[in-house]
Amino acid sequence: IEMAPGTCETAIAYPEIIANDNCEVTLTQTAGLGKDGMFPIGTTTETWTASDVDGNSTSISFDVTISTSNAKPTVNAINDIQVLEDTYSALVLVTGITGGNDCVSQDVTVELSSTNPELVTSATITYATSDSTASIQFDFAAEHSGESEVTVLVIDSENDSITESFKVFVTAVNDAPVL
């Protein structure tokens, strides 16, 4: 059974187990979760044994396999930022970072790119794998104005990814003339 991402267990349409013999038969489940079980992701082996009053027995086993697809990682939207050209650095928080709504915890990596290296001279992202927030430290070129599009890339353990982009605007300042 293929489950939606984030669904970690499910009930199943359990098969009816029937045993026939020429005398009384007792059915016993010897492994597995049974018809009322909630089956987790992975493979569960179900085993039933039929025994008669004369001590004869036979067993049947079958596997129940539950799988799911990977959920995309997440990151919250990031607002554009605007600074004056006399501002040489800025700190931006990136929130809502997760490995997705998966049943198994995933590690994520966070990467960063900028379209205007003449304006944004450096952008350093600080992120610890288990956190949901990262910080970006921007350094801007002195006496430069303009804009740069910044893209944050979040990649999970299964190489699924999501991007979030925002703009950095550095506004020119009318400096007083030098006499």
Side-chain angles (χ1 to χ4, degrees):
I1 298 173
E2 177 75 24
M3 303 301 299
T7 304
C8 303
E9 63 181 10
T10 187
I12 66 164
Y14 202 88
E16 183 178 0
I17 308 299
I18 300 171
N20 293 314
D21 196 5
N22 57 0
C23 57
E24 186 178 328
V25 176
T26 303
L27 273 173
T28 307
Q29 184 173 8
T30 56
L33 300 174
K35 69 178 185 159
D36 296 323
M38 291 296 288
F39 288 82
I41 298 211
T43 300
T44 303
T45 300
E46 300 287 298
T47 303
W48 289 82
T49 300
S51 304
D52 67 15
V53 293
D54 294 327
N56 299 312
S57 67
T58 189
S59 295
I60 185 172
S61 292
F62 58 93
D63 290 335
V64 176
T65 303
I66 308 295
S67 60
T68 187
S69 56
N70 185 50
K72 280 190 161 295
T74 65
V75 62
N76 289 345
I78 306 165
N79 293 327
D80 293 343
I81 64 168
Q82 186 165 357
V83 297
L84 299 176
E85 74 177 345
D86 291 341
T87 304
Y88 299 107
S89 67
L91 183 70
V92 173
L93 293 180
V94 179
T95 61
I97 300 170
T98 72
N101 185 25
D102 290 310
C103 299
V104 176
S105 169
Q106 291 197 50
D107 291 333
V108 297
T109 57
V110 181
E111 298 176 2
L112 185 66
S113 64
S114 171
T115 60
N116 188 345
E118 289 81 32
L119 181 67
V120 177
T121 57
S122 75
T124 306
I125 191 153
T126 303
Y127 175 72
T129 305
S130 60
D131 288 345
S132 62
T133 301
S135 62
I136 305 170
Q137 177 67 46
F138 288 102
D139 292 323
F140 305 110
E143 304 302 321
H144 281 74
S145 60
E147 71 178 63
S148 180
E149 184 170 15
V150 177
T151 301
V152 175
L153 172 65
V154 178
I155 307 166
D156 69 14
S157 306
E158 295 190 22
N159 285 327
D160 212 344
S161 64
I162 188 168
T163 60
E164 182 64 36
S165 295
F166 63 101
K167 291 197 177 185
V168 174
F169 297 97
V170 178
T171 305
V173 174
N174 291 329
D175 295 326
V178 177
L179 299 174

